[in-house]
Amino acid sequence: MQKNTYPEYALAALLCLSGSMNTVSANEPAPDQTVAAIEGAFGVTPGERRNHIKGTCALGEFVGTPEAATYTRSALFSSKPVPVIARFSLGGGNPKAPDTARSVRGMALQFKLPNGKLHQMAMLNTPVFGAAQPQTFLDLMLALQPDPATGKPDPEKMKAFKASHPDSAAQGQYMAANNPPSSYANSAYWGIHTFKFINKKNETILGRWRFVPQDGEKRLSEDELKTAGANFLEQALFDRSQQAPIRWDMVLTIGQQGDAEDNPTIAWPEERKQVKVGTLTIKSVMAQKGAACETINYDPLVMADGIAPGNDPVLRFRSPAYAVSFGKRLSGQ
Ligand code: HEM
């Protein structure tokens, strides 16, 4: 089996690990404590991601629209094709989780910009997140720890978690009301957090984005949930890519005064202005082992000039948490 060779910037990521720690404020849990809780909930597969472990790689490109330049000077939207290394995934750290699981689906993108610059996104198929604070995420992982007697999470602990963490409700309700997708190609993906978009005149707007599938959104029916089996998503995406390129439109929502900036569990009003700012085209799909996406840390704070993070504690916390998981898998743990 090919030893997964991590690119040189992996060491850089490790080296800046100490630096990135300072994005965590005093009253927040420690990133390594949170990753340990993820491991407690799902177990550890050496050398693999601690979360979103089950995934598929893909390659493609992104082309921005001219309208995007009104809001941002990012090279992402130069209207020239930008190469993309993508990864589609199932939430959680269980490599055997079935593709019918009522959990989140992820799409992560690494954009290869001119001059070796990178821009990264790691998105979910839910318009909001299940935690307004890193502490809620940690408390969820602790509530998910399997009961030694049953090997399953204790339903009483889950009930107590939900009762004491109202910020987890909105995402839970969305997932309860929407069955998992029948294919990664038939799912929308949201960046969820609020970001700052800065244009050439240094004007800044608050924005949120999502990727809308040109194939349309399709969800498993109740029957398919019973019959689809545990492993169909990778093959479905591969088969679809053999027919023709797979496309998503990137839609930017423009925030207004008072819209939530620091809370990813609160959606913005539907009537906000929306602008199509680009199209992602996936051209080839492959298994993760030995492929380009396997050795990428899709840290969402890796951003090129023109887009910057909003003041969101969960977004800030993700970077050091990903670095902990990445560091462990980099060293084969
Ligand atoms: C406190 C909040 C969060 C924590 C602690 C957390 C933790 C993690 C960890 C440890 C990984 C594996 C990283 C690696 O080994 O490379 C991961 C992957 C991922 N997370 Fe999060 N996460 C959080 C919030 C979010 C949010 C809000 C989103 C979406 C907006 C998200 C989307 C993803 C995706 C798509 C991946 C897979 C990336 C890939 O394919 O490599 N996560 N998360």
Side-chain angles (χ1 to χ4, degrees):
M1 183 175 78
Q2 175 185 341
K3 178 98 191 55
N4 40 15
T5 51
Y6 284 79
E8 62 291 340
Y9 67 73
L11 286 170
L14 264 190
L15 294 169
C16 74
L17 181 58
S18 55
S20 65
M21 280 297 177
N22 59 24
T23 60
V24 176
S25 62
N27 58 0
E28 283 173 352
D32 49 359
Q33 174 198 12
T34 305
V35 172
I38 298 173
E39 295 174 341
F42 300 109
V44 171
T45 307
E48 300 286 341
R49 289 164 167 82
R50 278 9 185 201
N51 194 6
H52 289 258
I53 187 172
K54 194 177 178 183
T56 299
C57 290
L59 300 174
E61 66 181 26
F62 177 83
V63 178
T65 62
E67 292 73 31
T70 310
Y71 304 103
T72 174
R73 59 181 179 238
S74 167
L76 207 54
F77 305 96
S78 66
S79 297
K80 295 198 188 77
V82 174
V84 171
I85 302 175
R87 184 171 181 271
F88 295 87
S89 60
L90 233 75
N94 171 10
K96 295 199 170 48
D99 290 348
T100 50
R102 198 172 282 280
S103 58
V104 293
R105 304 291 178 273
M107 180 167 80
L109 305 173
Q110 183 184 74
F111 301 86
K112 302 271 199 188
L113 298 170
N115 312 320
K117 294 258 185 316
L118 295 177
H119 189 98
Q120 299 186 165
M121 299 176 182
M123 301 168 276
L124 296 178
N125 67 330
T126 58
V128 290
F129 191 54
Q133 297 292 336
Q135 187 67 48
T136 297
F137 185 97
L138 173 60
D139 293 345
L140 172 61
M141 291 304 126
L142 294 174
L144 283 171
Q145 309 283 312
D147 177 337
T150 63
K152 292 195 165 63
D154 175 347
E156 287 310 310
K157 275 198 189 154
M158 281 309 293
K159 225 161 93 194
F161 166 80
K162 288 183 179 155
S164 55
H165 296 79
D167 55 330
S168 69
Q171 189 191 42
Q173 283 148 12
Y174 181 86
M175 288 177 23
N178 295 281
N179 283 355
S182 52
S183 169
Y184 288 126
N186 293 105
S187 187
Y189 301 93
W190 284 260
I192 297 182
H193 304 285
T194 302
F195 293 84
K196 293 185 177 117
F197 283 70
I198 308 130
N199 66 15
K200 285 203 171 75
K201 292 184 240 151
N202 255 348
E203 296 159 335
T204 300
I205 58 113
L206 293 182
R208 289 183 173 185
W209 68 73
R210 71 186 191 284
F211 282 72
V212 180
Q214 291 190 3
D215 282 15
E217 292 191 55
K218 290 199 195 90
R219 300 183 179 284
L220 294 168
S221 67
E222 294 307 319
D223 284 352
E224 286 166 332
L225 274 175
K226 299 188 195 91
T227 57
N231 301 301
F232 59 87
L233 286 174
E234 179 160 293
Q235 192 62 43
L237 191 70
F238 177 79
D239 294 348
R240 173 61 190 77
S241 70
Q242 297 298 295
Q243 294 162 20
I246 316 170
R247 294 193 170 86
W248 286 259
D249 292 325
M250 179 179 178
V251 176
L252 173 65
T253 301
I254 315 294
Q256 287 186 9
Q257 192 74 30
D259 289 344
E261 178 185 346
D262 61 359
N263 188 336
T265 71
I266 300 177
W268 283 358
E270 298 264 323
E271 64 275 15
R272 287 292 174 266
K273 180 176 178 175
Q274 312 217 348
V275 185
K276 177 181 164 182
V277 290
T279 296
L280 170 72
T281 301
I282 291 295
K283 297 179 174 175
S284 59
V285 171
M286 61 293 293
Q288 167 174 288
K289 200 42 82 191
C293 82
E294 184 184 25
T295 52
I296 293 178
N297 169 6
Y298 284 95
D299 176 348
L301 287 187
V302 173
M303 278 184 258
D305 177 54
I307 304 178
N311 177 27
D312 180 333
V314 172
L315 175 58
R316 258 198 325 272
F317 187 84
R318 290 173 64 190
S319 182
Y322 290 32
V324 170
S325 171
F326 186 61
K328 287 186 168 195
R329 60 188 174 97
L330 185 75
S331 52
Q333 287 177 52

